[in-house]
Amino acid sequence: MPSSKCSTLALGISIAALLQIAGVSLFLFGFFPVKPTLSGFSGSESYQMPSCDSDSDAEMVDLSSEQRKSLYEELSGIPPVYDRLILMVIDGLPAEFILGKGRKPPAKTMAEAMPYTQYLLANELAVGFHAKAAPPTVTMPRLKAMMSGGIGGFLDVAFNFNTQAFLDDNLLDQLYRIGWRMVMLGDNTWIKLFPNLFSRQDGVGSFFVKDTVEVDFNVSRHLHVELAAEDWNLLILHYLGLDHVGHIGGRQSILMAPKLKEMDDIIKEIHIQSITSQKNSNSQTLLVVVSDHGMTEAGNHGGSSYEETDSLALFVGHGIGTASDGKSVNNEAFQVDIAPTLALLFGVPIPKNNIGVTLTNIFQSLTEEQRLRALELNSWQLLRLLRANLPRLCCDYSSSSTSNFNSGTRLRADSTGINFCIQLAKAVSAHNSWKLQNNSTLRSDYFHIASESYELFLRNASEWLSHRATDKPIHILLVAVVLMFISCLLFVCLTFWLFFNTYNNLWSSEDTFIFIAVILHAMSFGSSSFVEEEQYTWHFLTTTLYLIFLFTQIRTFLKGLNGNLSEVVSPIILVLISGRILRGWHQGGINWAHLPDISKLLLWLSPSTITFLHITSILSLSVLYSNSISILKSQFNLVLWLSYLIGACLVLLQSIKNNIANTILVDHGTTWIPQAVYVIGGISVISSLFGLPWFSSIRSKKGMFLGIRECIYDIGSAYVAFWCLLQLLLQQPVNAIPVLLIYVQHRASVSLFADSVSEHKDWVKVAAIYFLGLAGHFGLGNTNSLATIDVAGAFIGISSYSTVLSGILMFCITYASPILSHLSMVMCISTMVDRRVISSKEKFNWRILLESTVAIPSLVPLVVNSVALTSFTVVLLLMRNHLFVWSVFSPKYLYLCASTVSVYLGVLLIAGTVFYICYVFTIDKRKYQT
């Protein structure tokens, strides 16, 4: 019976886990597919009105570059305005640094850091736009958007770390097809996206964020030579330093103003050498300064807040002006508008999948006829894309009149396509009337009507295409939900089966609250506000659970069953106080992140204050770990403690070094310190796992019961201490105290559960530790926005970029607290090894031991996570057309999937540790009996 029960549990957990993995994989495949695009490249057909027969659109592929260029120029009706383009990308630059926010000018420090750029704007020699970027606000998808005018799939945020060649129609390929020679300097993402297009290139890795100097110097060292060269048509300069400054120190970093001044000097050099000098020349160069995304106050990005999506588009060149509204700084546009604008200015077709709208009103050199022609070509391109999404859409009208206008012959009466056809028909009618009029007044009126009508159609079509939900295979999504629901049900049934067989159907207030808490958390996902501010949910649930513990202990004391109240109550008070400090350390969330908190106050103080707290945390953690293990009881523990002290000293040295080097330069030689910490910590943890059980079993004279209990506790202590030491190295220095407080919470909880007077069911202990981990996750400043992922820490100790290593470190930083909760459970398991494991005949009861040490610590996190994951999957399916599906719900789902990975890793670690310890003690017992 014992073996059959354990086998049933193991089989049930395995089946449920496999069903969950299959369900999540299917749902990710079905919900986040790559957005459908039109294949091929735009050609001569893009200069013709699209007909209802799509088969008639064919591109001649046998033309040379010169022939194709001449053909495009002849068909477009818009002679190329410029013949050279310099595209300067300042990674992570918020538009408000240069243009201000709303009607307010930029901050004084920012404006003073870029005097020449402000001079260009003030004298209407440049026009700037707040070019809104679409989420996810990371580099690779934003470069795609600027070059193709299309919005990629949401999972581009994952592909950002492993960029592949971009095969869709785009501006660079179009320019290459007409014979342009291109040079690229800077972020090597360009080289990965557009291989074999550049005649010269010098790329640098974009993810080594500790480097704020060499990444930009590597670009600028070529600048003087390239500006003097005449063998290129397109020069791309992608500067990464400002983005790296943001990741390291946020918007208010002391390095920000000097970096902006550096960028301003480069703009000045380009303008004087390449634009001003060509004033009376036939050759004209256009400088376009753009940013791929903005940054939050903390310097991160990836989400959909205003600060992250506020990217820059600055046009500098002859013929640039503010013809229509006289504004040079308060213009608003979309990042995708850059692609069609540049395509029309340089005489190439608009990329097929573009959803942007050309910005013709800023170019004074264009005639009215050319502006209307540009809007017409843009409208035809968007009409083709609409037809790809609405196959039955057909707008039939003659070029001379709209009297024959007929929409709906192949269209449902209630389709949105009818409205698009009507809007376009109005524009075409006004355009045709403008052509026929000789009266200057009427001609001007028709021009404005046609322009406004075209722009109305373009903006409406662009908005519809950008918000159009990707066609999702609903049958696949339903199958995925069913699999996950079965998995969740199986996890819950196994948990209740184990509960009722272990505790004889006795429910306490703690049991009831945990059950209600899991249900309330799942229900909260139905509100986007609760998803955005999930930290409030976990702080409330965790605090309430420990208050229940407190009231239970007080009630027990009043009944005379608890003789020493302070010993049991003090750990609970310590957890509650630590939790309250954590709650105020980071304001967290999305909507209220701007409010003051402890971390913001410390960041405003001198760096020495944060370093002092960092050092205090390292020393305090060392003292607490020394107190948690019996150093003198065994030589093995002494060696483990000494290795920990060496690691702590190295982390201390790294903290002091970082404080001294306020201006962080690249010094690959200093990576030996964190690398040494990795090696020492790894060897120590592995040695404790594989060495301590043998050492304890050999020397233990207390019997198997106490030997296993003591061994589990020592290994768990090593896990927790070295993990916290790793976090003190990787986390931002301002998070040092939160790491210490989370460690204190876990130590206090284990102390509470180890007290013989404090009676808590094993599953309640595990749930409490798991709740602490989730609350601590938000206590470290994490949110459900991709912008709070700490990229800077993922490169500590790495001398060159590695996707795998930096990805692992990023995962460790983001899920530091949830993983710590699983490591603490190993310590907590030692409190579950009680006298029940010894039967009346003084024989070891392995079934009870494995139930307490493996089944319960595995099932409880799996159940809580499974309920959350399954319920949120259902919510995401129902909200698939919601306004916030990509900005709120989708990022949270990715976090949940990653959290599921951390849960499985934690469960495997717990089970593996306990099984190995039991295996070693079993072998030792057999040798002793023999």
Side-chain angles (χ1 to χ4, degrees), residues 41-78:
F41 293 87
S42 294
S44 57
E45 81 285 347
S46 64
Y47 299 107
Q48 304 168 5
M49 171 66 194
S51 65
C52 292
D53 298 321
S54 59
D55 295 335
S56 65
D57 295 341
E59 158 72 336
M60 297 179 63
V61 295
D62 56 347
L63 298 178
S64 67
S65 298
E66 286 299 323
Q67 289 174 326
R68 184 176 283 110
K69 180 179 180 181
S70 299
L71 177 63
Y72 289 165
E73 187 172 340
E74 178 185 348
L75 294 176
S76 69
I78 308 174

Side-chain angles (χ1 to χ4, degrees), residues 20-35:
Q20 187 177 75
I21 294 171
V24 171
S25 302
L26 270 179
F27 194 85
L28 287 173
F29 171 78
F31 197 86
F32 297 106
V34 176
K35 288 199 171 187

Side-chain angles (χ1 to χ4, degrees), residues 910-928:
I910 292 170
T913 300
V914 174
F915 276 124
Y916 181 74
I917 292 172
C918 293
Y919 169 75
V920 172
F921 274 82
T922 302
I923 291 178
D924 189 61
K925 181 182 178 182
R926 288 175 181 173
K927 288 181 180 178
Y928 177 78

Side-chain angles (χ1 to χ4, degrees), residues 446-749:
Y446 279 122
F447 169 76
H448 290 298
I449 294 173
S451 298
E452 292 173 0
S453 299
Y454 273 129
E455 289 176 359
L456 177 65
F457 165 77
L458 288 169
R459 282 301 174 198
N460 287 340
S462 176
E463 183 178 2
W464 185 85
L465 287 166
S466 64
H467 289 99
R468 175 169 170 76
T470 304
D471 292 333
K472 300 178 179 67
I474 193 67
H475 58 284
I476 293 180
L477 299 181
L478 290 176
V479 170
V481 170
V482 169
L483 289 175
M484 295 172 69
F485 181 78
I486 294 173
S487 168
C488 181
L489 190 63
L490 190 53
F491 276 134
V492 172
C493 290
L494 288 172
T495 303
F496 276 101
W497 178 57
L498 185 63
F499 177 87
F500 290 127
N501 277 278
T502 304
Y503 303 114
N504 299 319
N505 302 338
L506 295 176
W507 279 74
S508 65
S509 57
E510 300 165 355
D511 303 324
T512 305
F513 174 77
I514 292 173
F515 177 77
I516 294 174
V518 172
I519 300 300
L520 286 175
H521 178 238
M523 291 174 61
S524 70
F525 289 144
S527 166
S528 61
S529 296
F530 272 105
V531 174
E532 291 177 315
E533 311 297 334
E534 190 182 359
Q535 74 277 3
Y536 294 120
T537 302
W538 282 115
H539 285 306
F540 169 77
L541 294 178
T542 305
T543 301
T544 305
L545 178 60
Y546 276 83
L547 283 174
I548 292 174
F549 290 164
L550 179 62
F551 295 148
T552 301
Q553 297 305 322
I554 293 175
R555 186 175 60 221
T556 304
F557 174 77
L558 294 177
K559 291 180 179 179
L561 302 176
N562 188 348
N564 193 345
L565 182 63
S566 61
E567 288 186 7
V568 182
V569 169
S570 55
I572 302 176
I573 299 297
L574 192 58
V575 170
L576 292 173
I577 293 174
S578 300
R580 186 61 192 90
I581 298 174
L582 282 171
R583 166 67 185 81
W585 200 269
H586 289 283
Q587 182 58 41
I590 296 174
N591 296 317
W592 315 112
H594 63 281
L595 295 179
D597 53 38
I598 300 174
S599 65
K600 293 187 181 70
L601 175 63
L602 291 174
L603 290 172
W604 276 105
L605 299 176
S606 64
S608 300
T609 305
I610 297 178
T611 303
F612 171 75
L613 294 176
H614 197 185
I615 294 173
T616 302
S617 300
I618 297 170
L619 297 176
S620 300
L621 190 63
S622 302
V623 172
L624 290 172
Y625 176 58
S626 303
N627 186 49
S628 68
I629 60 173
S630 302
I631 301 173
L632 301 178
K633 276 190 176 182
S634 73
Q635 295 177 349
F636 199 100
N637 280 354
L638 179 61
V639 172
L640 204 61
W641 177 71
L642 290 175
S643 67
Y644 179 84
L645 287 186
I646 294 173
C649 290
L650 290 174
V651 176
L652 196 66
L653 179 63
Q654 180 75 7
S655 175
I656 297 172
K657 183 183 74 68
N658 288 340
N659 183 54
I660 295 173
N662 286 325
T663 304
I664 303 175
L665 303 177
V666 175
D667 184 3
H668 296 325
T670 60
T671 58
W672 72 268
I673 298 177
Q675 287 173 355
V677 176
Y678 299 153
V679 172
I680 292 172
I683 293 175
S684 300
V685 169
I686 293 173
S687 300
S688 67
L689 173 60
F690 292 102
L692 261 177
W694 292 102
F695 198 85
S696 299
S697 62
I698 292 171
R699 71 175 183 82
S700 178
K701 298 179 181 179
K702 302 176 183 178
M704 184 176 289
F705 165 69
L706 292 178
I708 290 177
R709 182 171 182 171
E710 185 178 290
C711 185
I712 291 176
Y713 180 82
D714 287 343
I715 292 177
S717 297
Y719 284 169
V720 171
F722 280 97
W723 180 258
C724 288
L725 186 64
L726 176 66
Q727 294 308 316
L728 288 176
L729 175 68
L730 298 178
Q731 295 279 346
Q732 294 287 345
V734 76
N735 274 344
I737 292 295
V739 170
L740 176 64
L741 292 174
I742 294 171
Y743 176 81
V744 168
Q745 283 186 315
H746 287 285
R747 277 288 309 278
S749 297

Side-chain angles (χ1 to χ4, degrees), residues 110 113 212 245-246 248-261 603-607 658-664:
M110 303 302 176
T212 65
V245 168
I248 294 170
R251 287 190 174 205
Q252 307 303 324
S253 170
I254 59 173
L255 302 178
M256 188 60 74
K259 181 57 67 175
L260 288 171
K261 183 64 171 66
L603 290 172
W604 276 105
L605 299 176
S606 64
N658 288 340
N659 183 54
I660 295 173
N662 286 325
T663 304
I664 303 175

